[in-house]
Amino acid sequence: MNAAEKEKLFAELASNYKASIWRVCYAYLPDRSFAEDVYQDILIELWKNLERFRGESGWHTWIYRIAVNTAISHGRKETKLVVDFREHPADMADDTSAQTQEVETRHQRLHACIAKLSEQDRLVVSLLLEDLNYAQIADITGLSSSNVGVRINRIKPKLHACITSGI
């Protein structure tokens, strides 16, 4: 792949997966300034590793692996963070102007509840919210498909209880 092809492919991937990458950043580092740093680090890792893509999985899975690994590694380097859910992944998307206040409040509550989950459960939920199927989630997380299903069935009541209790 020549330099022009690499630049074109990178720009296309960065554009197509922008919102997904932001959601991973916020799943691990909900503070906006830390998430911005991690987002940039993820893009750097994508650029550096672009020529190493072997096609054994789809672009979505490959990008998620890089995003999750980068976010986890960055999160471990940081000291304890104060979580602020006044901002959430939708703040980074280009299309937030049409959302109503009620939807915003529900998003904030959902993200606050997700933040209370274990790291592995946060990852599973964020991938599920991306409409990935169990096999894709298993591929990214290293869990079996059946274990993904079990985790999701255990996570749902936790989230429901948290959301309905009003945090």
Side-chain angles (χ1 to χ4, degrees), residues 96-132:
T96 59
S97 60
Q99 294 182 333
T100 65
Q101 184 61 35
E102 181 183 339
V103 172
E104 288 291 328
T105 301
R106 287 189 300 200
H107 279 150
Q108 291 171 354
R109 188 174 297 142
L110 173 63
H111 288 287
C113 290
I114 290 171
K116 294 178 181 182
L117 298 172
S118 71
E119 187 175 279
Q120 187 77 46
D121 287 351
R122 283 195 315 265
L123 174 59
V124 169
V125 168
S126 66
L127 296 173
L128 185 63
L129 291 173
E130 288 292 320
D131 290 328
L132 273 64

Side-chain angles (χ1 to χ4, degrees), residues 21-164:
I21 294 170
W22 275 116
R23 281 188 282 280
V24 170
C25 292
Y26 271 97
Y28 289 94
L29 298 156
D31 180 86
R32 186 179 196 136
S33 64
F34 289 116
E36 289 171 358
D37 290 342
V38 172
Y39 181 81
Q40 292 301 316
D41 289 346
I42 291 168
L43 292 180
I44 290 168
E45 289 301 313
L46 287 175
W47 175 260
K48 289 188 330 190
N49 292 292
L50 196 55
E51 293 170 335
R52 293 186 183 144
F53 178 73
R54 297 184 304 240
E56 294 173 359
S57 62
W59 285 111
H60 197 256
T61 301
W62 184 76
I63 289 169
Y64 255 105
R65 284 182 182 154
I66 289 176
V68 167
N69 289 336
T70 303
I72 288 172
S73 120
H74 195 282
R76 288 183 181 150
K77 292 176 188 173
E78 300 297 329
T79 57
K80 292 185 179 184
L81 301 173
V82 176
V83 178
D84 182 359
F85 277 97
R86 290 183 302 243
E87 299 171 320
H88 55 82
D91 291 335
M92 294 306 190
D94 298 330
D95 187 12
T96 59
S97 60
Q99 294 182 333
T100 65
Q101 184 61 35
E102 181 183 339
V103 172
E104 288 291 328
T105 301
R106 287 189 300 200
H107 279 150
Q108 291 171 354
R109 188 174 297 142
L110 173 63
H111 288 287
C113 290
I114 290 171
K116 294 178 181 182
L117 298 172
S118 71
E119 187 175 279
Q120 187 77 46
D121 287 351
R122 283 195 315 265
L123 174 59
V124 169
V125 168
S126 66
L127 296 173
L128 185 63
L129 291 173
E130 288 292 320
D131 290 328
L132 273 64
N133 62 40
Y134 287 11
Q136 292 169 314
I137 295 171
D139 191 32
I140 293 168
T141 61
L143 300 170
S144 68
S145 290
S146 60
N147 192 291
V148 168
V150 169
R151 280 184 178 269
I152 290 170
N153 285 328
R154 291 180 181 167
I155 293 168
K156 285 179 183 179
K158 290 179 188 177
L159 288 176
H160 184 265
C162 178
I163 290 168
T164 57

